[in-house]
Amino acid sequence: NAGVTQTPKFRILKIGQSMTLQCTQDMNHNYMYWYRQDPGMGLKLIYYSVGAGITDKGEVPNGYNVSRSTTEDFPLRLELAAPSQTSVYFCASSLKRGRIEDTQYFGPGTRLTVL
Amino acid sequence: GEDVEQSLFLSVREGDSSVINCTYTDSSSTYLYWYKQEPGAGLQLLTYIFSNMDMKQDQRLTVLLNKKDKHLSLRIADTQTGDSAIYFCAEKRGSGGSYIPTFGRGTSLIVHP
């Protein structure tokens, strides 16, 4: 298993540009998450999904959109990039079976700079 | 203030024990986690503890939970230079629902010879 993979690893955007951060997992996990990590800070949840076709907002969703058309993929879309979105973005996934939820597995991250 | 608090830095000598502390505020937290983040990498789960446990040991790692004081600690015995990383404490919010963790800001552990 490759686990959780993210592309690209690095990206520089100009203000107002848009882009999609890709996330794929091959563990058949039903839950997927997007976090951002600002320097010296913990992770903040942007969006999450409990299964294909279902998404929900996290703590800091403004300026982002997500979709979950398949179990494997959970792309994060930035429509109008702003300097405040400069951060490292982590995708994660987990498996929930009934009331039991496995822990999260994290991707390696995407470092985004908006200039 | 932050819901999960950690000190930002810890410096230890190689071979000594490291103790990283964390306090949290949600008394309904059911799981508490320790993650390790090496430079340029994602988070890696080190260990976790259920809220009905006081202690969990896993090789060089010992987790202590004081639920009354909402205090969690991670002890690393015989700390090595490879243990240098940022360590995040996280708590699971809510009960029976989705895993929506709240993370602390992380403690940078520096191990020097």
Side-chain angles (χ1 to χ4, degrees):
Chain A
N1 285 353
V4 180
T5 56
Q6 293 181 237
T7 57
K9 285 188 168 49
F10 304 94
R11 184 73 184 267
I12 298 174
L13 284 181
K14 293 182 180 177
I15 294 171
Q17 286 186 317
S18 61
M19 77 164 292
T20 299
L21 282 69
Q22 301 291 346
C23 175
T24 300
Q25 53 91 11
D26 61 359
M27 298 174 282
N28 203 30
H29 285 174
N30 46 359
Y31 281 38
M32 295 187 75
Y33 312 81
W34 273 106
Y35 293 91
R36 59 178 288 172
Q37 184 182 30
D38 298 329
M41 303 296 288
L43 277 70
K44 299 290 186 185
L45 183 65
I46 305 171
Y47 271 96
Y48 68 100
S49 167
V50 302
I54 306 169
T55 62
D56 211 342
K57 294 178 181 178
E59 189 179 355
V60 290
N62 291 346
Y64 306 94
N65 276 302
V66 293
S67 59
R68 185 95 181 271
S69 56
T70 66
T71 299
E72 295 77 19
D73 301 305
F74 190 41
L76 177 72
R77 179 87 178 155
L78 283 71
E79 289 295 348
L80 290 170
S84 61
Q85 293 178 303
T86 294
S87 190
V88 181
Y89 291 83
F90 289 101
C91 179
S93 71
S94 65
L95 179 66
K96 187 172 186 208
R97 294 162 287 188
R99 291 177 63 84
I100 297 172
E101 185 156 9
D102 196 1
T103 188
Q104 291 181 320
Y105 294 82
F106 282 82
T110 295
R111 186 175 297 274
L112 176 67
T113 302
V114 182
L115 300 173
Chain B
E2 293 289 332
D3 293 333
V4 178
E5 293 191 359
Q6 303 176 238
S7 54
L8 294 183
F9 299 98
L10 176 66
S11 178
V12 300
R13 194 184 301 272
E14 190 174 14
D16 288 350
S17 292
S18 308
V19 180
I20 303 171
N21 295 302
C22 169
T23 56
Y24 60 98
T25 56
D26 190 343
S27 59
S28 70
S29 296
T30 52
Y31 295 79
L32 295 122
Y33 301 81
W34 283 106
Y35 286 87
K36 177 183 181 182
Q37 185 182 33
E38 295 181 353
L43 275 69
Q44 172 195 2
L45 178 70
L46 279 180
T47 187
Y48 64 93
I49 189 168
F50 296 116
S51 58
N52 62 357
M53 296 170 65
D54 298 324
M55 185 182 86
K56 180 177 180 181
Q57 187 149 4
D58 184 2
Q59 299 182 338
R60 292 191 297 122
L61 304 178
T62 303
V63 179
L64 295 177
L65 175 60
N66 181 330
K67 200 173 177 186
K68 175 176 167 290
D69 295 337
K70 299 189 187 71
H71 182 266
L72 182 74
S73 68
L74 173 69
R75 179 177 181 269
I76 305 172
D78 187 25
T79 312
Q80 302 298 307
T81 54
D83 294 324
S84 293
I86 302 176
Y87 291 80
F88 290 92
C89 171
E91 61 169 349
K92 176 184 175 181
R93 288 291 176 87
S95 58
S98 304
Y99 175 78
I100 307 299
T102 300
F103 287 83
R105 294 173 65 183
T107 299
S108 289
L109 175 64
I110 301 162
V111 182
H112 55 89

